[in-house]
């Protein structure tokens, strides 16, 4: 059967989500755990979104085909019993064979956290980017609206990106101050090119500290010049919050949304 896994991880000590030879990755950790439980896997683990080294996830979605004679609760417990402490599977869901975690997704939601307070937070330093100057959140939020819509994000793509088309649909973007020193940037889109969000964040910080204007962001979008947005916010402030799916495999669920803490299953879940 094909299983979807809702995965949380602290990306600090991973070299990204995708498997790499001689590197520690989320996919590699999942495949090692599954291989220990089931022996030879029927398929490789597939991931909904590729996250770079240092990027975290609360609601990453992975899928794998297994020949299991265990309940979904037993599968989840067995996987978690063989995973390292910095990655965990919250839900195991049986899905149709046609389910593809990347191609079936209709949207992804990410959050980037910035600390612009007078002092850093030792307990949160692995999950937020420290900026040593106060930022104008209103100006940043206004500038963030320039990203909303269908745009060619070539200027915000990593120079090494092999994504092909760099046109993406950003459905929403919002910058909000959560406390006197913590700022969050929430963005939702159908997909993102490599390093797009982190380069967007870097430009928003430049607007927030007054070193650049929002017109600069407009010019970067219009230029469509690969890698023109050269500044790249560090990865540890970024978290994949959830992946959204919409299909009706059992003619009973009009919307399937895998979340970090809850999900709606087309078949059954643990």
């Amino acid at each position: 059967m094909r299983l979807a896994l809702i995965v949380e991880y602290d990306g600090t000590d991973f070299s990204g989500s995708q498997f790499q030879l001689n590197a520690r990755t989320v996919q590699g950790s999942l495949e090692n755990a599954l291989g220990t439980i089931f022996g030879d896997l029927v398929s490789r683990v597939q991931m909904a979104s590729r996250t770079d080294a240092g990027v975290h996830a609360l609601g990453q979605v992975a899928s794998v085909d297994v020949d299991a004679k265990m309940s979904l609760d037993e599968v989840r417990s067995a996987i978690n019993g063989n995973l390292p402490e910095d990655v965990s599977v919250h839900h195991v869901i049986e899905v149709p064979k046609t389910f593809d975690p990347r191609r079936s997704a209709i949207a992804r939601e990410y959050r980037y956290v910035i600390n612009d307070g007078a002092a850093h937070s030792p307990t949160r330093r692995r999950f937020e980017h420290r900026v040593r100057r106060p930022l104008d959140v209103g100006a940043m939020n206004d500038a963030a609206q320039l990203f909303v819509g269908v745009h060619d994000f070539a200027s915000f793509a990593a120079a090494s990106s092999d994504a092909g088309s760099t046109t993406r649909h950003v459905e929403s973007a919002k910058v909000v101050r959560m406390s006197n020193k913590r700022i969050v940037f929430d963005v939702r889109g159908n997909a993102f090119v490599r390093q797009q969000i982190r380069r967007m964040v870097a430009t928003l910080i430049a607007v927030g500290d007054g070193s650049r204007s929002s017109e600069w962001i407009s010019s970067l979008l219009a230029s469509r010049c690969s890698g023109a947005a050269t500044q790249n916010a560090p990865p540890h402030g970024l978290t994949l919050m959830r992946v959204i799916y919409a299909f009706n495999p059992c003619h009973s669920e009009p919307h399937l949304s895998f979340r970090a803490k809850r999900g709606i299953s087309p078949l059954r879940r643990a």
Side-chain angles (χ1 to χ4, degrees), residues 83-162:
L83 285 174
E85 290 295 315
D86 48 2
V87 58
S88 178
V89 172
H90 285 285
H91 299 296
V92 176
I93 305 167
E94 184 181 353
V95 292
K97 283 288 191 178
T98 55
F99 175 77
D100 181 302
R102 182 172 67 86
R103 293 184 176 86
S104 299
I106 61 169
R108 293 139 172 99
E109 293 179 357
Y110 282 84
R111 168 169 286 187
Y112 196 96
V113 182
I114 302 166
N115 180 335
D116 70 339
H120 76 287
S121 170
T123 60
R124 295 181 61 88
R125 62 185 172 81
R126 290 156 64 104
F127 306 100
E128 61 185 23
H129 171 37
R130 173 85 188 285
V131 175
R132 300 174 185 271
R133 52 198 182 277
L135 300 176
D136 183 338
V137 173
M140 293 172 70
N141 187 57
D142 289 344
Q145 305 319 303
L146 298 170
F147 295 125
V148 177
V150 179
H151 302 285
D152 185 340
F153 284 96
S155 298
F156 294 85
S160 59
S161 176
D162 57 356

Side-chain angles (χ1 to χ4, degrees), residues 10-239:
D10 174 350
T12 305
D13 298 323
F14 286 107
S15 297
S17 60
Q18 299 299 115
F19 179 82
Q20 301 174 47
L21 285 174
N22 303 316
R24 185 171 186 264
T25 65
V26 178
Q27 181 184 354
S29 294
L30 289 170
E31 290 184 347
N32 287 341
L34 289 160
T36 299
I37 299 163
F38 298 110
D40 293 335
L41 295 179
V42 177
S43 71
R44 298 295 302 268
V45 169
Q46 304 296 319
M47 311 285 280
S49 289
R50 176 177 294 184
T51 57
D52 289 337
V55 175
H56 318 291
L58 288 179
Q60 173 73 274
V61 179
S63 73
V64 65
D65 293 342
V66 297
D67 183 9
K69 296 178 175 62
M70 306 163 64
S71 71
L72 298 183
D73 279 329
E74 290 171 333
V75 171
R76 178 180 58 189
S77 295
I79 295 173
N80 285 328
N82 287 280
L83 285 174
E85 290 295 315
D86 48 2
V87 58
S88 178
V89 172
H90 285 285
H91 299 296
V92 176
I93 305 167
E94 184 181 353
V95 292
K97 283 288 191 178
T98 55
F99 175 77
D100 181 302
R102 182 172 67 86
R103 293 184 176 86
S104 299
I106 61 169
R108 293 139 172 99
E109 293 179 357
Y110 282 84
R111 168 169 286 187
Y112 196 96
V113 182
I114 302 166
N115 180 335
D116 70 339
H120 76 287
S121 170
T123 60
R124 295 181 61 88
R125 62 185 172 81
R126 290 156 64 104
F127 306 100
E128 61 185 23
H129 171 37
R130 173 85 188 285
V131 175
R132 300 174 185 271
R133 52 198 182 277
L135 300 176
D136 183 338
V137 173
M140 293 172 70
N141 187 57
D142 289 344
Q145 305 319 303
L146 298 170
F147 295 125
V148 177
V150 179
H151 302 285
D152 185 340
F153 284 96
S155 298
F156 294 85
S160 59
S161 176
D162 57 356
S165 172
T166 50
T167 298
R168 298 290 187 272
H169 179 199
V170 172
E171 298 176 23
S172 63
K174 181 183 292 186
V175 182
V176 177
R177 183 174 290 281
M178 303 295 288
S179 69
N180 62 347
K181 65 179 182 179
R182 188 160 294 112
I183 299 167
V184 300
F185 171 55
D186 288 321
V187 61
R188 170 173 167 151
N190 68 327
F192 299 92
V193 296
R194 188 182 176 198
Q195 296 184 358
Q196 176 185 336
I197 298 174
R198 291 164 55 199
R199 289 170 188 260
M200 289 163 60
V201 168
T203 61
L204 292 175
I205 290 173
V207 170
D209 68 14
S211 61
R212 291 285 192 170
S213 69
S214 58
E215 287 75 17
W216 173 59
I217 292 181
S218 296
S219 68
L220 287 171
L221 284 169
S223 73
R224 294 177 291 180
C225 179
S226 179
T230 56
Q231 297 300 310
N232 193 7
H236 63 271
L238 184 61
T239 299

Side-chain angles (χ1 to χ4, degrees), residues 229-247:
T230 56
Q231 297 300 310
N232 193 7
H236 63 271
L238 184 61
T239 299
L240 171 61
M241 302 300 288
R242 67 171 181 151
V243 185
I244 298 95
Y245 301 87
F247 59 94

